[in-house]
Amino acid sequence: MSSREKESPKGGVVLQSRTQRKTQKPRMYRVLLHNDDYTPMDFVVRLLQTVFRKTESDATAIMLHVHNHGVGVAGVYTHEIAETKVAQVHMLARQNDCPLVASMEPEDDPDAER
Ligand code: TYC
């Protein structure tokens, strides 16, 4: 069954309209962390635990991925929440004199046709 098809209460399948589904599947955004040479590793790990609710083990793995590859995904959220996470990263980083940068990018459009 495609993502626009849905089982009806009486059995069988109905096609959901695009506008109807849009209210149920919001576009999602990846929040990215970018590497730099100055932000301490333990600061990034603590930030991933507090702002992005990661376990210490997951936070360490994400931090090392960013350190080794230059960029990595801290989490995936709706637009407003992703914006808030990016702002929280920048506020915490500046308060601690760290140059850490976060950004956001859209995931694939859930309304795109296959
Ligand atoms: N490269 C930093 C260091 O060696 C650690 C770091 C990791 C910084 C991830 C930013 O998003 C970052 N101290």
Side-chain angles (χ1 to χ4, degrees), residues 33-41 44 63 66-67 100-101:
L33 286 186
H34 299 266
N35 190 36
D36 66 71
D37 291 339
Y38 302 101
T39 303
M41 289 184 172
V44 179
M63 182 281 295
V66 175
H67 177 73
L100 181 63
V101 169

Side-chain angles (χ1 to χ4, degrees), residues 40-75:
M41 289 184 172
D42 71 311
F43 178 82
V44 179
V45 171
R46 276 190 289 112
L47 180 138
L48 282 161
Q49 291 178 263
T50 55
V51 176
F52 296 94
R53 296 285 177 224
K54 301 299 181 187
T55 63
E56 182 172 14
S57 163
D58 284 353
T60 302
I62 294 168
M63 182 281 295
L64 286 174
H65 176 94
V66 175
H67 177 73
N68 289 320
H69 299 276
V71 65
V73 179

